[in-house]
Amino acid sequence: VQLQASGGGLVQAGGSLTLSCAASGGTLSGFDMGWFRQAPGKEREFVAAFRSEDAIKHADSVRGRFTISRDNAKNTLYLQMNSLKPEDTAVYYCAAKYHGGYLAQISEYDYWGQGTLVTVSS
């Protein structure tokens, strides 16, 4: 499966952005899907993941502000980001893995998009 992330940009603190991850060559419903981010000088970290409507996980740092969702008809994964903070500045990546295992484990993800940059100004 090929993943194409988009929707990043520059936003002021407190603002909102919605990231999209369009998939081709595979059906997203057949995969666990995740969003990860990497800030300058830091390791890539887990943000949110979606296995099914009953199996969704968000990192503590974004819970209550970010929401992951999936549109099966559009074969697209989304990350709605509200109340953005400067510390949310990073390159955001979407990723896919086969069902099973631990949703937040970066090493389990097999397919990665190219990343989209989110910059939050103070």
Side-chain angles (χ1 to χ4, degrees):
V1 63
Q2 291 79 47
L3 304 173
Q4 179 75 34
S6 61
L10 174 63
V11 63
Q12 289 187 334
S16 298
L17 280 175
T18 300
L19 304 184
S20 300
C21 176
S24 59
T27 303
L28 287 189
S29 59
F31 296 88
D32 294 340
M33 299 297 301
W35 286 101
F36 298 84
R37 66 186 181 186
Q38 187 165 17
K42 295 187 177 181
E43 294 187 351
R44 194 170 298 188
E45 65 176 4
F46 169 75
V47 175
F50 187 109
R51 174 171 291 159
S52 67
E53 292 293 341
D54 297 325
I56 295 173
K57 185 176 179 66
H58 294 85
D60 290 344
S61 59
V62 306
R63 190 172 294 116
R65 301 187 298 122
F66 292 11
T67 303
I68 189 171
S69 63
R70 187 179 71 195
D71 186 328
N72 289 336
K74 295 183 178 180
N75 212 28
T76 300
L77 181 76
Y78 299 99
L79 185 68
Q80 174 66 45
M81 306 186 294
N82 299 325
S83 303
L84 283 160
K85 305 175 181 180
E87 51 263 43
D88 295 319
T89 295
V91 177
Y92 284 71
Y93 299 89
C94 59
K97 69 179 185 69
Y98 297 104
H99 287 313
Y102 187 44
L103 283 171
Q105 183 62 45
I106 293 175
S107 61
E108 293 190 13
Y109 284 78
D110 302 295
Y111 305 96
W112 291 83
Q114 86 289 0
T116 185
L117 176 63
V118 173
T119 303
V120 184
S121 63
S122 57

